[in-house]
Structure formats: C-alpha cells, structure tokens
Amino acid sequence: MRAVVAELADAPLTYPEVGATRDGALPAGYGHLHREAFLGTGRAVFERAAAGLLAWRMHERAGIPVTRSVPTAVTGAVVVQRPGIGPLRLTVPCRVVYTVAESDRQGFGYGTLAGHPERGEESFVVTLAPSGEVRAVIRAFSRPATLLSQAGGPMTGLVQRYVTGRYLAALQNIARSDAV
C-alpha cells in the first residue's frame, strides 16, 4: 500500500472546487454533509481532540485503516483508507488540500484522488469556543465517481453518514481519553 501512496503524490484531484469545505457555501451539483458533535470543555480536551485528528487516530479508531505518506495531516499529505472487509474492502485515496492551524481551530480538508468511489472534499475541524466548549465539525460535498457508488444510490449517502458518525464518536473518545 505504501507504493500506492507514493504513486499518488502528484496525482490530480478529481474535482475542481478545491478548498470549498474551508468556509462558506458548499458547491452546487454535489450532495452536502454537515455534522457537528460536542467533545467536552477546556483547552486540554481541545488539544487531545486536535492531536488525535491530525495524527489520523480519528480514522483508525473509527475502524478505517489508513496508510499515509506522513505521520500527520499536512497540506499535500496522501492517505489511502481501506474500509470494508476482505474482498469488499475499498481503496479510498485522498490528499490533504489545506490545514487549519489556529489557536482555537485545528483540522484539515482532503480531496479525492483517482480510485476513490466519490468525487469531492471533506473537512474535519475541532474548535474551542470562548466559553470553553469544544466541538468537532465535519463538512463535505461529494458525488459518485464509480459505477459502484452510482449503483449504490441512496445507500451511498447512508454509508457516508454512518462513517461520519463513527468519526465523531471516535473524536469524542479521543477527547475524553487521558493520553494524547
């Protein structure tokens, strides 16, 4: 899998609206997703959640194995996720297209590469409000890129919402843990 990750380093993204999950309205012509979850309160919770997110632990704890080009999510990093079981395991390649590195906001957005069943972008951001409340925000836009995802119809959206729920639950667990 590391060879696949290396081959994807210069591969083009499969959609033109790069960075559109960062802020504002998501582009037309795609399905949209926006989910948020409360993670806890305080700077320590924020730092644990952000560290877990940026080190790909959210994906791994959600049950999505990842092979990555670098240990943490930085702009240009390639990650290949392998959800599923046995012969039903998918190859889901993405590249980090931006990062968020502010004192009260940490995260990244990644976009799809050739071989991904969808075309689009997804962002994962952990925020710390002035009140101390820590939240995770996931935003995405996507549309089918393969016959399999097209054939899935509404089931494809259900799977995406299910996986997003697993991501948020994983971040909640990471935020509550004592170890980073």
Side-chain angles (χ1 to χ4, degrees):
M1 193 52 60
R2 292 235 177 256
V4 171
V5 169
E7 289 173 16
L8 293 169
D10 296 318
L13 295 162
T14 60
Y15 65 102
E17 301 90 347
V18 177
T21 58
R22 185 184 291 268
D23 293 306
L26 297 175
Y30 295 87
H32 296 166
L33 179 136
H34 181 106
R35 300 263 316 262
E36 294 189 33
F38 174 75
L39 303 180
T41 57
R43 171 82 40 196
V45 168
F46 172 76
E47 290 175 2
R48 279 193 300 272
L53 171 63
L54 295 171
W56 306 106
R57 285 196 303 275
M58 175 193 74
H59 287 76
E60 291 167 346
R61 288 207 186 166
I64 311 283
V66 295
T67 302
R68 51 201 172 265
S69 61
V70 293
T72 58
V74 295
T75 302
V78 173
V79 60
V80 177
Q81 302 166 68
R82 298 281 293 159
I85 299 171
L88 300 178
R89 190 171 297 275
L90 298 173
T91 299
V92 182
C94 297
R95 179 178 305 114
V96 176
V97 296
Y98 67 85
T99 58
V100 178
E102 300 168 12
S103 64
D104 60 351
R105 292 179 73 229
Q106 297 278 316
F108 64 93
Y110 60 29
T112 57
L113 297 170
H116 195 295
E118 299 283 319
R119 281 188 172 83
E121 189 173 288
E122 190 164 22
S123 69
F124 308 90
V125 178
V126 176
T127 63
L128 174 63
S131 66
E133 180 178 274
V134 180
R135 297 190 70 77
V137 179
I138 299 177
R139 299 179 75 219
F141 63 90
S142 62
R143 64 179 170 226
T146 65
L147 288 175
L148 177 64
S149 58
Q150 288 173 1
M155 183 61 83
T156 303
L158 291 173
V159 169
Q160 184 180 33
R161 285 190 292 281
Y162 171 76
V163 171
T164 300
R166 291 186 58 91
Y167 286 156
L168 292 171
L171 268 180
Q172 287 170 324
N173 288 332
I174 290 166
R176 289 187 201 118
S177 71
D178 291 332
V180 175

